[in-house]
Amino acid sequence: MPSFKAVLIEKDAGGAQSAGFATLSDDDLMEGDVTVRIERSTVNYKDGLAITGRAPVVRRFPMIPGVDGVGIVEQSASPSFKPGDRVLLNGWGVGELHLGAWAERARWKGDWLITLPSGFSPDEGMAIGTAGYTAMMCVMALERHGIGPSGGPVLVTGAAGGVGSVAVALLAGLGYHVVASTGRPEEGNYLKGLGAAEVIARAELEGSGKPLARERWIGAVDVVGGQTLANILSMIRYDGAVAACGLAGGMELPATVAPFILRGVTLYGIDSVYVPKPVRVAVWDRLDRDLDRAKLAAMMQRIAFDEVIDAARGIVDGKVRGRLVVVIG
């Protein structure tokens, strides 16, 4: 049986976690009805947490990380796919409970896969990845709330990261006045190139705040959580909304009910892992229609498969800008 290269996270008898490259065979793969030859993957914040062990992302050992993948179907018992189809996977517990995409081959369930939209190349599909797909869901949540471009400014936190970069580009392209928050002031020109009208320092949203502060934004896309999210809620205008999708600043929410009962603010939680397939298809259709390809190219950097472990460590240290595309095959 042919062998293939993969990143493998292991844990020893003492509980110490390690990550490195390994040579595996199809016998090492888990159950599934579609076998895929992986072409591209990406590096998400969750992948960084898995590699570093800074959060209990991995719940099965040994584990191949990588929550996103694009590849070519080689074998299929699924009625939805046939050999030669180019497919896309985001989430569904891969890289956590099921072997993921940082490998030259994978075996997954057909129900988890969608066809890569014809408007995207494999590189573009992974430049978007879970981060960009999550950003689109955040934008759609604000739209469902009735927040349009004429409603007022919209804040994006962690704006130089993956979710933030795509959110800035999407919102600006749709005509919103985007305020980008970042802890990296040197990325100001990059963010304005994506369409941000204003760039503010992350420090403006940190520290203990008031239950109700001055109203500043009609909506927000937040990847930070923690005290930052609590402060954002206190600054949202009447009947505004926040789409929360991250916890880079912690899982605690030290807020009060004041924004909810005195200003009618709504907090939307955005999950990207177990979203039903029809919703996924709709989200990717919107990305195909609304995401400026030139801006996507500006936020994308390609790296070799051998560089992926170092890149994963870098993303949790805030050293990665935009989106990384991992060239696997």
Side-chain angles (χ1 to χ4, degrees), residues 51-138:
I51 286 291
T52 61
R54 294 190 190 180
V57 169
V58 178
R59 288 171 282 170
R60 175 200 183 274
F61 293 91
M63 174 56 64
I64 297 173
V67 303
D68 291 322
V70 166
I72 302 295
V73 173
E74 293 198 334
Q75 300 174 16
S76 176
S78 166
S80 301
F81 303 102
K82 64 183 185 304
D85 288 344
R86 179 169 276 126
V87 293
L88 166 75
L89 181 137
N90 303 117
W92 290 112
V94 301
E96 303 175 65
L97 293 166
H98 193 99
L99 299 181
W102 287 4
E104 293 173 329
R105 289 171 68 79
R107 186 181 295 129
W108 294 321
K109 296 182 180 180
D111 290 344
W112 298 346
L113 305 173
I114 67 170
T115 301
L116 179 69
S118 60
F120 291 121
S121 68
D123 278 0
E124 290 172 328
M126 288 294 93
I128 295 167
T130 286
Y133 151 77
T134 302
M136 185 77 252
M137 286 195 292
C138 290

Side-chain angles (χ1 to χ4, degrees), residues 40-52 57 65-69 88-91 94-96 101-102 125-135 161-164 166 245 272-273 284 303 308-317 320 322-326:
R40 300 289 188 271
S41 186
T42 185
V43 183
N44 293 295
Y45 192 78
K46 181 182 284 187
D47 298 315
L49 294 176
I51 286 291
T52 61
V57 169
V67 303
D68 291 322
L88 166 75
L89 181 137
N90 303 117
V94 301
E96 303 175 65
W102 287 4
M126 288 294 93
I128 295 167
T130 286
Y133 151 77
T134 302
V163 175
V166 179
C245 62
S272 62
V273 179
W284 278 94
I303 64 171
V308 72
I309 293 176
D310 286 341
R313 293 183 176 126
I315 201 169
V316 294
D317 290 333
V320 173
R323 299 291 293 141
L324 298 179
V325 174
V326 184

Side-chain angles (χ1 to χ4, degrees), residues 14-302:
Q17 182 177 308
S18 61
F21 284 92
T23 299
L24 306 176
S25 74
D26 279 11
D27 282 344
D28 296 304
L29 296 176
M30 297 174 68
E31 73 284 352
D33 52 7
V34 180
T35 301
V36 178
R37 173 170 50 84
I38 304 296
E39 297 177 295
R40 300 289 188 271
S41 186
T42 185
V43 183
N44 293 295
Y45 192 78
K46 181 182 284 187
D47 298 315
L49 294 176
I51 286 291
T52 61
R54 294 190 190 180
V57 169
V58 178
R59 288 171 282 170
R60 175 200 183 274
F61 293 91
M63 174 56 64
I64 297 173
V67 303
D68 291 322
V70 166
I72 302 295
V73 173
E74 293 198 334
Q75 300 174 16
S76 176
S78 166
S80 301
F81 303 102
K82 64 183 185 304
D85 288 344
R86 179 169 276 126
V87 293
L88 166 75
L89 181 137
N90 303 117
W92 290 112
V94 301
E96 303 175 65
L97 293 166
H98 193 99
L99 299 181
W102 287 4
E104 293 173 329
R105 289 171 68 79
R107 186 181 295 129
W108 294 321
K109 296 182 180 180
D111 290 344
W112 298 346
L113 305 173
I114 67 170
T115 301
L116 179 69
S118 60
F120 291 121
S121 68
D123 278 0
E124 290 172 328
M126 288 294 93
I128 295 167
T130 286
Y133 151 77
T134 302
M136 185 77 252
M137 286 195 292
C138 290
V139 172
M140 292 168 73
L142 297 181
E143 290 176 336
R144 287 194 304 272
H145 191 78
I147 296 173
S150 63
V154 174
L155 174 73
V156 177
T157 64
V163 175
S165 292
V166 179
V168 169
L170 284 168
L171 289 164
L174 291 167
Y176 290 83
H177 181 101
V178 181
V179 180
S181 166
T182 180
R184 293 179 271 176
E186 68 275 12
E187 303 295 1
N189 288 336
Y190 163 76
L191 292 168
K192 289 183 177 178
L194 295 180
E198 302 175 52
V199 179
I200 66 172
R202 180 175 64 196
E204 288 191 32
L205 306 174
E206 296 177 330
S208 182
K210 300 176 181 179
L212 282 179
R214 177 173 62 89
E215 297 178 60
R216 298 178 66 176
W217 309 288
I218 191 62
V221 174
D222 178 56
V223 304
V224 179
Q227 185 65 57
T228 293
L229 176 55
N231 290 339
I232 293 167
L233 288 166
S234 77
M235 299 176 188
I236 294 295
R237 295 181 181 180
Y238 190 88
D239 196 30
V242 178
C245 62
L247 46 67
M251 294 183 67
E252 299 285 329
L253 184 57
T256 73
V257 298
F260 308 114
I261 65 173
L262 297 179
R263 289 183 181 162
V265 172
T266 298
L267 175 60
Y268 290 100
I270 306 298
D271 167 62
S272 62
V273 179
Y274 296 109
V275 180
K277 183 178 284 191
V279 178
R280 292 172 182 266
V281 172
V283 172
W284 278 94
D285 284 347
R286 281 291 307 274
L287 285 160
D288 194 5
R289 184 166 75 246
D290 294 333
L291 184 56
D292 185 309
R293 300 306 194 273
K295 291 181 179 178
L296 181 61
M299 67 181 80
M300 178 178 71
Q301 177 186 347
R302 298 169 87 223

